[in-house]
Amino acid sequence: MMGRFALLLLLAFASLQLFCFAVDDIDIDFDINKNDDLVFYESFDEPFEDRWIVSNKDDYKGVWKHSKSEGHDDYGLLVSEKARKYAIVKQFDEAASLKDGTTVLQFETRLQSGLECGGAYLKYLRPQEAGWRPKEFDNDSPYSIMFGPDRCGTTNKVHFIFKHKNPKNGEYVEHHLKHTPAVPSDKLTHVYTATLKRDKEVRIMIDGQEKKKASFLSANDFDPPLIPPKTIPDPDDKKPEGWDDRARIPDPNAVKPDVWDDDAPMEIEDLEAVKPEGWLDDEPDEIDDPEATKPEDWDDEEDGVWEPPKMFNPKCETAPGCGEWKRPMKSNPAYKGKWSPPLIDNPNYKGIWKAREIPNPNYFEIGKPDFEPIAGIGIEIWTMQEGILFDNILIAKSENVAKSYRETKWKPKFEVEKERYKAEDEASASDFLAAAIKRKLFDFLYEVADMPFLSNYKTQILYQIERAEKQPNLTMGVLVSIVVIILTIFLKHIFGGKDQVQPSPKVEQKPYVAETTNDEARSGGDEKEEGDESGGAPRRRRRET
């Protein structure tokens, strides 16, 4: 009897376990596909044309495509052309309310060609009664929330903007989240999540990691604040006549000194400079390459008259300089600039005038934001990059639903992409290291060229360094030549005694004049190198790094 009871108990326990597993399976399937908390979901597994409406507005010429994400079989909505404006809308059958409980806005983007200047955000649109039509969707179409990445110039942020109606005057005001997170700079798929909670806060996540939390009612979190100030400056208040708000004024009793010359130039010729001995006035810095030949396929009528490329004049290698010699410029000791009287405290100063404060007629108090419902999703962007892919756009009433989509839809793709790019980065690491070493070597050679004992040969050394930088196929050979030249000059400097050539005055060489910046010209021209009393060779060119 006891044995049969034990057997029945064991069977009952096993049945309960099987029932629990079955329930778990049902729950998982329910959460992802049949959950009432899922308001909207777009996977783009199928072509979008029968569900999304492309704007007919003339400005929006960008072509949307149904395309696979690079390296995956997963499809998305693709921005296919660069330097275009794009606009497309998905209209809901029924508007989604944002007023009850939690609302999660989530979508994926992949910047397959990077993002230097452009947006990749979504607009959650108000009902059409607000005054818009899908075929006419554009930048002015009214939205409730705008959310997503944007980068151009100094802008690098994940926007969160909501429009809120002022109950006093009926005007809609854009409220921008402050101190937003930056956009990831790689080319991987990223998932952006904004969770709106009815306890007055919004949470921004990137790839499931919280990046920002803010209160809708905090003046520190949104610009302008949701709740207006209680008082404002009176627009009818005017500054009284005679109000002097200048804290300091020019001294009316000051007189310009007699010796002050407003027209004195900032720089003058150095009349003490002497042309170095051996200067080759009739030799140009560069000559036609005698070994260059006209290409066989060159057509003078189509390509113009062929001219051989230039090369450094070998006669200038041992000379202190070539071409027309000009005296270098030096700072003018008489230069003082335009005279102006000194400032003194203003005896009539009354302080900075401000209009009086009055009660703000548009002030209101509110316990939580009154969001407009969402009647559709629009993508309206201008971008200089192609290759932006949108995928897995979701609106849900549960954070768990959004999390389940991140885990099942986004994360597997992200892990594959991360591993692939990691392998590519490791493969290119050796090339990057070689480039870094080469840059360090060039920087060192430029510093060596500035040494005083090389002043007579600085022009030639700089020419060879820049030649090595611009012609990678010749880099190693040229670098070896430079090292040999510097070593030879160094040994001559050490063992040459008094017979070595004295440093020559600094002069302006023609190859470098065009690359002198305006700032350099305003700062007093070519300054003397340390230890170079007479001027020496021209300052080296600025190099692009």
Side-chain angles (χ1 to χ4, degrees):
M1 186 72 176
M2 290 297 295
R4 282 196 299 171
F5 178 76
L7 180 59
L8 288 172
L9 186 63
L10 180 61
L11 290 172
F13 177 76
S15 299
L16 179 62
Q17 292 297 317
L18 290 173
F19 175 77
C20 290
F21 287 133
V23 169
D24 287 343
D25 290 340
I26 294 172
D27 285 343
I28 292 174
D29 182 64
F30 180 80
D31 283 344
I32 294 181
N33 297 311
K34 301 178 182 178
N35 197 332
D36 291 339
D37 287 335
L38 182 62
V39 177
F40 171 79
Y41 176 62
E42 173 61 82
S43 66
F44 294 108
D45 289 341
E46 302 296 331
F48 63 88
E49 287 82 359
D50 60 340
R51 303 185 311 280
W52 290 71
I53 301 172
V54 178
S55 175
N56 286 338
K57 284 294 190 74
D58 291 338
D59 287 346
Y60 300 95
K61 300 298 185 182
V63 177
W64 296 97
K65 289 187 177 181
H66 184 237
S67 176
K68 288 183 179 180
S69 180
E70 292 181 5
H72 303 288
D73 290 329
D74 186 43
Y75 281 86
L77 181 64
L78 179 69
V79 170
S80 65
E81 300 174 299
K82 60 177 63 176
R84 290 285 189 273
K85 288 184 177 182
Y86 292 80
I88 193 170
V89 172
K90 168 61 180 177
Q91 185 178 356
F92 298 166
D93 294 333
E94 182 179 349
S97 174
L98 299 176
K99 293 186 178 182
D100 300 321
T102 295
T103 302
V104 184
L105 311 176
Q106 182 169 285
F107 67 99
E108 297 173 15
T109 61
R110 186 180 183 189
L111 311 175
Q112 297 177 128
S113 301
L115 184 62
E116 296 178 1
C117 188
Y121 42 77
L122 304 188
K123 290 184 176 181
Y124 299 85
L125 303 168
R126 288 160 50 195
Q128 291 190 36
E129 289 77 6
W132 68 277
R133 295 292 179 268
K135 287 286 187 179
E136 299 172 358
F137 176 56
D138 61 12
N139 182 59
D140 296 324
S141 298
Y143 62 86
S144 291
I145 292 173
M146 188 177 104
F147 171 53
D150 186 20
R151 176 186 291 169
C152 194
T154 58
T155 298
N156 182 358
K157 63 175 66 177
V158 178
H159 286 290
F160 183 88
I161 305 169
F162 72 95
K163 284 190 175 182
H164 193 272
K165 184 178 180 180
N166 185 310
K168 286 294 186 70
N169 59 17
E171 295 180 357
Y172 285 88
V173 178
E174 281 189 0
H175 302 277
H176 294 243
L177 180 64
K178 299 195 294 188
H179 312 300
T180 54
V183 180
S185 59
D186 54 48
K187 299 179 182 179
L188 307 179
T189 300
H190 294 282
V191 57
Y192 297 88
T193 309
T195 304
L196 286 65
K197 287 183 168 290
R198 297 311 299 147
D199 57 1
K200 311 165 191 173
E201 76 173 22
V202 59
R203 295 170 57 223
I204 306 297
M205 294 193 295
I206 302 177
D207 299 344
Q209 301 295 316
E210 183 176 297
K211 299 295 183 179
K212 176 73 176 180
K213 180 188 289 186
S215 169
F216 288 116
L217 303 181
S218 173
N220 295 324
D221 290 338
F222 283 90
D223 181 30
L226 176 60
I227 299 176
K230 289 185 176 182
T231 63
I232 59 171
D234 184 355
D236 297 324
D237 193 13
K238 306 297 182 183
K239 182 167 68 173
E241 293 185 8
W243 187 283
D244 196 340
D245 54 10
R246 299 174 299 164
R248 293 175 65 78
I249 60 173
D251 185 354
N253 299 319
V255 179
K256 183 172 72 173
D258 294 336
V259 296
W260 194 288
D261 184 0
D262 286 336
D263 299 324
M266 184 183 294
E267 292 182 330
I268 58 175
E269 282 190 354
D270 185 359
L271 300 178
E272 297 180 359
V274 178
K275 182 167 67 174
E277 185 176 347
W279 188 279
L280 304 179
D281 297 86
D282 299 327
E283 290 290 340
D285 294 310
E286 293 182 337
I287 60 173
D288 293 342
D289 187 349
E291 298 181 1
T293 57
K294 182 178 178 180
E296 294 181 0
D297 59 348
W298 188 276
D299 188 326
D300 288 340
E301 293 184 0
E302 294 185 3
D303 303 324
V305 178
W306 181 81
E307 294 182 359
K310 298 291 184 180
M311 62 173 287
F312 185 75
N313 189 345
K315 295 182 180 180
C316 302
E317 290 186 358
T318 57
C322 290
E324 180 185 359
W325 181 81
K326 294 181 179 179
R327 286 191 174 87
M329 304 296 286
K330 69 176 184 178
S331 298
N332 183 4
Y335 172 75
K336 294 184 178 181
K338 295 293 183 181
W339 181 86
S340 60
L343 298 178
I344 61 172
D345 292 337
N346 182 3
N348 298 319
Y349 177 64
K350 293 186 177 182
I352 303 299
W353 181 84
K354 293 183 179 179
R356 63 175 175 267
E357 294 285 317
I358 62 172
N360 183 359
N362 297 318
Y363 173 75
F364 66 90
E365 292 184 2
I366 193 171
K368 57 186 179 182
D370 186 18
F371 288 110
E372 298 282 340
I374 298 175
I377 292 178
I379 306 175
E380 187 276 320
I381 58 176
W382 176 89
T383 179
M384 294 302 294
Q385 271 74 45
E386 79 285 11
I388 301 175
L389 192 78
F390 294 89
D391 200 6
N392 293 320
I393 301 175
L394 172 146
I395 302 175
K397 289 294 183 179
S398 166
E399 293 183 76
N400 288 333
V401 171
K403 181 179 179 181
S404 70
Y405 276 85
R406 289 197 301 270
E407 294 294 323
T408 59
K409 301 293 185 179
W410 164 75
K411 193 170 183 178
K413 289 189 295 186
F414 179 77
E415 294 297 335
V416 169
E417 293 165 6
K418 188 169 63 172
E419 288 301 316
R420 189 180 72 185
Y421 280 104
K422 180 180 178 182
E424 292 177 359
D425 289 343
E426 290 175 353
S428 62
S430 58
D431 294 337
F432 176 81
L433 180 60
I437 294 174
K438 187 180 294 186
R439 284 197 301 272
K440 290 288 186 182
L441 178 57
F442 280 123
D443 289 340
F444 172 73
L445 289 175
Y446 275 108
E447 292 178 5
V448 170
D450 282 336
M451 292 182 177
F453 77 90
L454 295 174
S455 59
N456 286 339
Y457 307 94
K458 187 172 182 179
T459 301
Q460 299 95 297
I461 294 173
L462 290 178
Y463 177 84
Q464 295 297 336
I465 295 175
E466 294 184 359
R467 182 171 168 230
E469 281 188 303
K470 294 177 180 178
Q471 303 180 53
N473 58 319
L474 302 177
T475 296
M476 292 310 299
V478 174
L479 288 179
V480 171
S481 300
I482 294 172
V483 173
V484 172
I485 292 172
I486 293 175
L487 183 60
T488 302
I489 298 171
F490 176 74
L491 293 175
K492 181 179 179 181
H493 179 75
I494 296 298
F495 299 107
K498 297 181 180 180
D499 293 334
Q500 62 183 330
V501 179
Q502 294 298 317
S504 58
K506 181 177 290 185
V507 296
E508 297 179 351
Q509 296 287 336
K510 289 182 179 179
Y512 304 93
V513 171
E515 296 190 32
T516 301
T517 65
N518 292 333
D519 290 338
E520 289 170 340
R522 286 193 294 270
S523 65
D526 291 340
E527 298 176 1
K528 295 180 180 180
E529 303 288 345
E530 182 180 354
D532 185 357
E533 298 179 357
S534 57
R539 296 162 70 178
R540 70 165 180 254
R541 306 183 191 186
R542 291 182 178 272
R543 295 181 297 123
E544 297 294 328
T545 56

